[in-house]
Amino acid sequence: MSTMLRLHDVYKAFGGNQVLTGLNFNVRQGEIVGLLGPNGCGKSTVLNVITGYCSVDRGEVEVRGERVSGMAAHQIAARSVRRTFQLPSMPARMTVEEVVMAASTASHGLLSTLWRPAAVRRLEQDTRERAHHLLDELLLTKVAHLPAASLSGGQKKLLGIACAMMEQPALLLLDEPMAGVHPNLRSELVTTLKRINGQGITLVIIEHDMHFISETCSRCIVLDKGRTVADCLPSELENHESVVEAYLGKKPGGQFQVAGAVA
Ligand SMILES: Nc1ncnc2c1ncn2[C@@H]1O[C@H](COP(=O)(O)OP(=O)(O)OP(=O)(O)O)[C@@H](O)[C@H]1O
Ligand SMILES: [Mg+2]
């Protein structure tokens, strides 16, 4: 399978805080890859450098063989890359439905506001139908009319996924989609993400919940001290020496637990 995403020797520092220190990893088209690591190891920063929310100091990020490091966020988004945020903030004056519809680039532009021929109205109708479909899939239909900012933390996470899906991206990057989502919804979210992946969308998922990772991901990449310390199957995590060391700061021997997994 072809390479969807490639990070090569990526460095990123914030002032004196060297966060990424020669990070390398690849994601193939069609994979669901889990991105793990202790708090503060740089996982969200990885999503930020991939999507152009922050620049790299050195190294390269490539999407489908094209170098995107150095591009602006909107240029990377135009290459069919979408992401969600660990702590999403939503507008207070737009409803949930409006926020999802606004995430579609189809309804933007001067023409659609000044001139409304049938084709534009049809486009709007298609956008609305797609928004409703995604709200339904992400269990948000009941709150579609509410101000987006009034949603709970977990609902905002789901809304972020709906927005990211509006344009059917090639690569979808999720920052802790399960955090704050009720455990009862976990299996539905797993099913939804697998369905999304079944549509040909490559997924990279930051998550601490090991059960979720093992149910959802085909491969895991573990970061520590700004670089990849493991690239393995979810089932191999518990006994992976570098993973245990990353989380416990020592060689295996005692009990090891990564959010639910005990070795
Ligand atoms: N914009 C920024 N300005 C300054 N420092 C930053 C910025 N973004 C991230 N950092 C720092 O980079 C380090 C890694 O942060 P990051 O959010 O990537 O970690 P993380 O692995 O996602 O952690 P968590 O699991 O807690 O979400 C932290 O020390 C953080 O303070
Ligand atoms: Mg983070």
Side-chain angles (χ1 to χ4, degrees):
M1 257 184 207
S2 57
T3 302
M4 171 60 71
L5 174 68
R6 175 173 176 260
L7 276 79
H8 176 67
D9 206 24
V10 170
Y11 284 77
K12 179 69 192 176
F14 297 101
N17 183 7
Q18 188 67 51
V19 178
L20 304 180
T21 54
L23 179 65
N24 292 292
F25 69 83
N26 287 356
V27 176
R28 289 182 296 276
Q29 203 256 317
E31 281 193 291
I32 308 183
V33 171
L35 192 58
L36 289 84
N39 291 124
C41 72
K43 302 177 297 297
S44 297
T45 302
V46 171
L47 294 206
N48 288 338
V49 299
I50 295 169
T51 52
Y53 282 76
C54 68
S55 58
V56 300
D57 296 335
R58 212 175 98 190
E60 284 161 30
V61 179
E62 288 177 6
V63 174
R64 290 192 279 195
E66 182 183 16
R67 184 177 176 155
V68 297
S69 36
M71 288 185 189
H74 71 274
Q75 293 174 307
I76 299 172
R79 276 139 182 96
S80 206
V81 179
R82 292 289 182 281
R83 52 96 50 94
T84 64
F85 291 88
Q86 186 170 351
L87 298 171
S89 66
M90 294 292 168
R93 294 182 184 203
M94 289 171 82
T95 66
V96 168
E97 182 196 40
E98 285 166 345
V99 167
V100 181
M101 286 190 63
S104 164
T105 52
S107 58
H108 294 180
L110 200 60
L111 272 187
S112 62
T113 52
L114 295 181
W115 186 52
R116 296 167 59 83
V120 171
R121 283 200 300 275
R122 212 166 33 248
L123 207 60
E124 247 177 44
Q125 186 55 30
D126 290 350
T127 303
R128 192 177 302 278
E129 278 169 18
R130 176 147 181 75
H132 287 178
H133 170 75
L134 285 166
L135 288 172
D136 188 42
E137 191 160 33
L138 289 152
L139 309 165
L140 293 168
T141 300
K142 277 191 192 155
V143 295
H145 61 288
L146 296 180
S150 72
L151 296 189
S152 70
Q155 287 172 321
K156 283 181 189 160
K157 291 256 163 180
L158 299 174
L159 178 54
I161 299 175
C163 290
M165 281 299 295
M166 269 309 271
E167 291 291 312
Q168 192 83 5
L171 175 61
L172 178 57
L173 311 160
L174 303 176
D175 199 341
E176 300 196 23
M178 268 301 294
V181 173
H182 194 281
N184 289 353
L185 295 186
R186 184 171 68 192
S187 64
E188 299 193 49
L189 192 53
V190 170
T191 307
T192 300
L193 294 178
K194 285 189 172 169
R195 197 178 310 134
I196 286 171
N197 178 246
Q199 295 163 19
I201 298 172
T202 305
L203 291 166
V204 175
I205 306 175
I206 296 176
E207 191 49 71
H208 290 289
D209 183 325
M210 272 309 299
H211 295 298
F212 180 84
I213 288 283
S214 51
E215 281 172 82
T216 317
C217 300
S218 46
R219 187 160 65 91
C220 292
I221 291 161
V222 185
L223 307 189
D224 189 31
K225 301 184 183 76
R227 58 179 68 195
T228 304
V229 294
D231 185 341
C232 63
L233 299 173
S235 58
E236 294 169 338
L237 282 172
E238 296 178 7
N239 298 314
H240 198 298
E241 196 172 310
S242 306
V243 178
V244 179
E245 209 177 329
Y247 278 91
L248 293 182
K250 60 182 182 183
K251 301 275 181 210
Q255 194 185 54
F256 166 48
Q257 186 159 12
V258 186
V262 180

